[in-house]
Amino acid sequence: MPKKRSGGGLTGTQQAAKFVGVSVLAGAVLAGIALPAAGALGLAAKGTVQGFDEIPANLKRPPLSQRTTILDSQGGQIATVYSRDRTVVDLKDISPYMQKAIVAIEDSRFYEHGAIDLKGVLRALNRNAQSGGVAQGASTLTQQYVKNVFVEEAGDDPDKVAEATQQTLGRKIQELKYAIQVEEELGKKKILENYLNITFFGQQAYGIEAAAQRYFSKPAKKLTLEESAMLAGIVQSPSRYDPVNDVEEATKRRNIVLSRMAAVGDISEAEAERAKATPIKLRVSKPKNGCITAVDGAGFFCDYVREVFLSDPVFGKDREERNKVWNRGGLTIRTTLDPQAQKSAQESIKKHVYQTDKVATAVTMVQPGTGKILAMGQSRPYGFGKNETQINYSVNKRMGGSNFGFPVGSTFKPFVAAAALEQGKPPTQTYPSPYQMPYPSSVSTCSGKPWLNQGDTVENENESEVGPYNLRDAMAKSVNTYFVQMIAEIGMCPVVEMTTKLGAVQGSGEKLPEVPAISLGSKGMSPLNMANAYATFANRGTYCTPTAIEAIKTADGKSLPVPKTNCSKAMSERTADSINALLSGVIDSGTGEKAGLSGRDNAGKTGTTDARKNAWFVGYTPNLSSAVWVGSPAQDVEMFSIRIGGRYHGSVFGGEVPGPIWRDAMTGALDGREAPGFVDVHIPDAPKAPDNGKPKPGDNKPGGGDKPGDGDDDEDRPGGGRPGGGNPWDGITLPPDMIGGGQNGGGGWR
């Protein structure tokens, strides 16, 4: 019977003897793998480890995850994103000191043994037997590399990582078989290169290049002796030997590496002593990961690019597959973002709306004819702190935006007008347009089941706004009752069909409902949606889907396919040209007068919603379309008696705050660009009806129009429509040989 210590259990000597027995058996197993003649001992008991011959013959070596670089259209860096900060480099680009240091401390006989170091195994067995525990391992550098491959393949899944790192005999035997394969296939130099590129060096740095940049802000090829020794020492325990948090412990470990290098003859004793006497001198660079680091406020555009990648089938059959490709990284993504436009948008935002304001703004620019997103910014930066957000106010919920978008007010009215023109209504169409009226009792819909009024009414902003009005004046003054009467006459279906062709959907992604109140912009939409829909007018009726990615290259230089814009006819050129003329009137002398650009054709529309919770300006030139929204993301601020951007506003409306933001952003974005013109369309005045005798006091009613189903307060009106020629309507004329601006590249955007 075995002797026991008092209190039970084996004596220290007996425990050591038992450990030696187990270790010798394990050693024999290892020898049996390395030396087939010794394999008669067998590998394992059933249920403990897979039979050696049953282990798959080939080690799958997935591409190492690396950082992805996102560039603007001119090749400038917007941001780097990665699941693991790593840049793979060749062995020739790694300091010889680093190569020697890692071999000396991790596997000094690396160049002498095969996949398994039998001397190392026996040495470890002896040391472990003496200590009565596991004091020393026997893994070769090749085995460590194989283990790291398992960890890399596990990604960020904690269960898979635990499985990849479990210390079982089965796992060890699997590592050993693969180590033999790797030694045969790759050779020593390639194994060393792969190991230095895959291993973790702490501080979010994977691979020696990222580590050299993180700790010393230099490439791996320029690492000195003492720097190399410090980094080699970190590998054993990145948290314990972290020089950023414990330089003393890191120094001790570095000096052990230096002593080991001297002992194996890599450096002289004198070199080791000089290096030991040198204090660790860090030059730490902070990790620059993710869209939060993007330049010129492009964090939200960066995030949009990621969402495009993860949602588009061109990058993989499902989101899980696309996510793997994204996390693997190593991509260079050239985007559509124009640095001049982005800088101008952001400067205008900072000038007009402060980060700390009660309300926020978002600006999005799109190129007509291509769908390219040229700028995307907002006043609350991308981040996690106070007055910061990760919600992209410019896009729909599916792409990282708000849940429902933001009610667009009268910026929706051009869609109604376009639908009516497509139905044959003339640009001179006139309606009585009283100051106040009930919604039509019945309006036709696509389903054939009419919409019925439940007693709701609609009114104009001012009591002085009493018709009749023609389309040009109604658009310039943004007369609510006019457009409700128009939608009552043509029905809901043409309007819904038009918005579908323009890609205009609610921020939730749902189609717009068939209710007359949509003519007043009662439903929420995104700035990107609006800018791109208006770009269709600039492009003479051809709608192009928005696009953010121009090209992608993998780490090995291969090109990946990217989503392409799809263009389709949404309306006739005549209709689009007529809308351009109507919206030019809004800027010339209508509600958007303060937003107008000088020196080039431009058009746009203002919008303000119930209780001044949202204010918009959406406008365009033949080669650039832009939407500006101002409001509270939570829709809980009524913009009366409010300071925005350091300026007091008694009442906010589309032409007053969003308009100047649009003007300044567009001016900078278009500086030095060509100035193509719209196709000239003459819209005559409609015959004037006699005065109906209603009072026109001209008082501006704050909050007017805040009725159930009425989405539009709209704005103070500086005046009527553009002076007309007074000629009889004889159709729309196009000058000969005139080509509309914005076609095929936005009218010469360069």
Side-chain angles (χ1 to χ4, degrees):
M1 178 177 288
K3 295 180 181 178
K4 294 186 179 181
R5 293 179 297 164
S6 59
L10 300 176
T11 66
T13 303
Q14 290 168 331
Q15 284 181 327
K18 181 177 180 181
F19 185 82
V20 168
V22 173
S23 299
V24 168
L25 177 58
V29 170
L30 302 187
I33 296 172
L35 304 172
L41 291 172
L43 279 175
K46 277 188 177 180
T48 306
V49 64
Q50 197 174 14
F52 185 70
D53 291 336
E54 296 175 26
I55 298 174
N58 295 313
L59 172 66
K60 293 181 180 179
R61 296 193 295 275
L64 296 183
S65 58
Q66 301 184 62
R67 67 174 62 186
T68 285
T69 303
I70 300 177
L71 307 175
D72 62 33
S73 62
Q74 303 301 310
Q77 182 173 302
I78 297 173
T80 56
V81 297
Y82 49 80
S83 60
R84 292 183 177 174
D85 186 8
R86 176 189 284 118
T87 301
V88 175
V89 292
D90 295 333
L91 195 62
K92 64 181 177 59
D93 292 321
I94 301 173
S95 165
Y97 286 126
M98 187 66 223
Q99 298 178 41
K100 292 176 181 178
I102 199 72
V103 170
I105 196 63
E106 291 296 318
D107 185 3
S108 61
R109 287 173 30 81
F110 176 62
Y111 292 105
E112 300 169 26
H113 60 67
I116 301 149
D117 182 8
L118 293 179
K119 283 188 178 181
V121 170
L122 294 174
R123 183 178 63 249
L125 292 174
N126 183 52
R127 178 71 63 85
N128 294 340
Q130 291 175 0
S131 67
V134 181
Q136 187 178 99
S139 291
T140 64
L141 207 65
T142 307
Q143 290 170 257
Q144 292 181 50
Y145 165 64
V146 169
K147 183 176 182 178
N148 274 303
V149 170
F150 291 149
V151 172
E152 181 74 17
E153 193 172 14
D156 296 323
D157 187 321
D159 294 332
K160 290 182 179 179
V161 171
E163 182 183 348
T165 56
Q166 63 182 342
Q167 295 297 313
T168 63
L169 187 57
R171 172 62 66 181
K172 277 293 180 186
I173 290 177
Q174 190 177 37
E175 287 177 9
L176 290 171
K177 179 166 184 177
Y178 287 139
I180 295 170
Q181 173 205 334
V182 167
E183 286 269 352
E184 291 176 349
E185 289 183 358
L186 301 183
K188 294 293 186 180
K189 286 189 175 181
K190 191 63 177 178
I191 291 170
L192 179 59
E193 176 187 297
N194 288 1
Y195 178 82
L196 285 168
N197 277 308
I198 199 173
T199 198
F200 180 52
F201 287 88
Q203 289 289 326
Q204 301 181 38
Y206 288 81
I208 189 58
E209 181 70 14
Q213 294 289 352
R214 179 75 70 253
Y215 294 105
F216 301 112
S217 297
K218 62 168 61 174
K221 65 165 55 177
K222 293 186 177 181
L223 290 170
T224 64
L225 170 59
E226 53 269 23
E227 290 167 349
S228 298
M230 189 205 82
L231 292 176
I234 289 175
V235 172
Q236 187 183 83
S237 180
S239 57
R240 178 179 175 183
Y241 301 125
D242 180 1
V244 175
N245 296 309
D246 194 338
V247 70
E248 184 178 348
E249 195 69 20
T251 300
K252 290 179 183 177
R253 177 64 178 168
R254 178 201 67 176
N255 292 347
I256 290 173
V257 176
L258 290 168
S259 294
R260 185 62 183 160
M261 291 178 74
V264 299
D266 287 333
I267 58 174
S268 67
E269 289 289 349
E271 286 178 301
E273 292 306 314
R274 281 196 298 270
K276 289 177 184 179
T278 304
I280 290 177
K281 297 177 182 178
L282 299 176
R283 191 182 171 196
V284 178
S285 62
K286 292 182 179 179
K288 295 182 179 179
N289 180 24
C291 294
I292 197 171
T293 66
V295 300
D296 290 329
F300 297 100
F301 177 79
C302 168
D303 202 53
Y304 179 79
V305 169
R306 175 181 176 274
E307 289 296 334
V308 169
F309 193 99
L310 296 180
S311 62
D312 200 299
V314 75
F315 299 116
K317 63 181 180 180
D318 53 36
R319 193 174 181 90
E320 182 179 0
E321 184 176 301
R322 296 189 288 268
N323 199 58
K324 285 182 179 179
V325 176
W326 180 266
N327 287 335
R328 187 183 308 142
L331 306 174
T332 300
I333 302 176
R334 184 164 56 85
T335 71
T336 60
L337 193 79
D338 179 76
Q340 178 178 328
Q342 178 66 25
K343 183 178 181 181
S344 180
Q346 208 60 34
E347 286 178 349
S348 182
I349 288 169
K350 289 181 180 179
K351 176 182 176 182
H352 292 283
V353 182
Y354 295 161
Q355 179 180 344
T356 54
D357 285 342
K358 290 182 179 180
V359 295
T361 186
V363 178
T364 305
M365 296 182 178
V366 175
Q367 185 179 55
T370 67
K372 292 180 181 179
I373 302 170
L374 302 183
M376 184 181 286
Q378 61 193 52
S379 58
R380 293 185 182 171
Y382 190 97
F384 303 89
K386 187 177 181 181
N387 296 316
E388 296 179 338
T389 184
Q390 298 90 56
I391 297 174
N392 186 348
Y393 302 145
S394 286
V395 301
N396 292 344
K397 177 183 178 182
R398 184 176 69 90
M399 303 303 285
S402 65
N403 288 337
F404 305 104
F406 307 108
V408 297
S410 288
T411 58
F412 192 91
K413 289 171 180 172
F415 305 153
V416 179
L421 294 176
E422 286 289 283
Q423 292 298 303
K425 294 296 178 184
T428 52
Q429 178 68 43
T430 300
Y431 291 109
S433 314
Y435 161 66
Q436 188 181 63
M437 59 176 278
Y439 275 101
S441 59
S442 175
V443 181
S444 64
T445 66
C446 294
S447 66
K449 182 180 180 181
W451 176 88
L452 301 176
N453 186 14
Q454 302 299 314
D456 294 332
T457 62
V458 59
E459 63 187 34
N460 297 328
E461 173 73 3
N462 300 322
E463 290 183 5
S464 62
E465 289 173 354
V466 178
Y469 285 109
N470 60 26
L471 177 54
R472 188 188 65 199
D473 290 342
M475 188 71 78
K477 295 181 178 181
S478 207
V479 180
N480 293 337
T481 56
Y482 178 94
F483 288 93
V484 169
Q485 288 181 303
M486 176 173 272
I487 211 169
E489 183 172 3
I490 67 172
M492 287 300 311
C493 203
V495 178
V496 172
E497 288 175 349
M498 176 58 66
T499 57
T500 299
K501 292 176 183 177
L502 294 172
V505 296
Q506 296 183 72
S508 62
E510 297 177 359
K511 284 190 174 184
L512 292 161
E514 290 189 81
V515 294
I518 69 166
S519 66
L520 309 180
S522 59
K523 295 302 178 182
M525 298 170 70
S526 70
L528 174 57
N529 227 196
M530 294 301 292
N532 204 49
Y534 271 52
T536 308
F537 300 138
N539 196 36
R540 301 195 70 201
T542 297
Y543 168 79
C544 297
T545 56
T547 182
I549 299 174
E550 292 201 271
I552 298 180
K553 286 192 175 181
T554 62
D556 56 4
K558 294 181 180 178
S559 294
L560 293 182
V562 297
K564 300 296 183 183
T565 188
N566 295 311
C567 298
S568 57
K569 204 69 177 174
M571 66 191 77
S572 69
E573 290 184 353
R574 173 176 291 191
T575 293
D577 294 340
S578 298
I579 296 295
N580 296 339
L582 292 167
L583 297 186
S584 294
V586 173
I587 285 180
D588 285 348
S589 57
T591 58
E593 196 170 8
K594 294 183 179 181
L597 304 177
S598 60
R600 60 176 70 239
D601 283 6
N602 60 117
K605 184 71 187 76
T606 56
T608 312
T609 65
D610 286 351
R612 299 293 197 269
K613 290 184 179 180
N614 301 274
W616 288 77
F617 190 88
V618 188
Y620 54 94
T621 66
N623 53 346
L624 184 61
S625 178
S626 179
V628 177
W629 162 82
V630 175
S632 165
Q635 296 290 282
D636 58 358
V637 176
E638 297 182 358
M639 292 185 286
F640 297 106
S641 302
I642 188 172
R643 295 190 73 84
I644 302 175
R647 290 186 57 196
Y648 174 80
H649 299 274
S651 180
V652 171
F653 52 92
E656 178 67 25
V657 180
I661 297 173
W662 181 89
R663 179 195 62 221
D664 291 349
M666 291 284 284
T667 297
L670 291 165
D671 185 36
R673 315 285 193 185
E674 291 185 11
F678 294 126
V679 171
D680 189 25
V681 172
H682 174 64
I683 300 178
D685 287 327
K688 296 291 184 182
D691 195 325
N692 58 17
K694 288 196 175 184
K696 301 180 180 181
D699 57 325
N700 192 16
K701 295 178 65 180
D706 191 2
K707 304 290 182 183
D710 178 2
D712 184 30
D713 269 354
D714 231 297
E715 39 276 318
D716 301 343
R717 319 228 189 261
R722 186 169 51 171
N727 297 325
W729 174 251
D730 58 354
I732 298 172
T733 59
L734 302 179
D737 303 321
M738 191 73 173
I739 299 176
Q743 190 75 18
N744 297 327
W749 182 275
R750 290 177 176 83

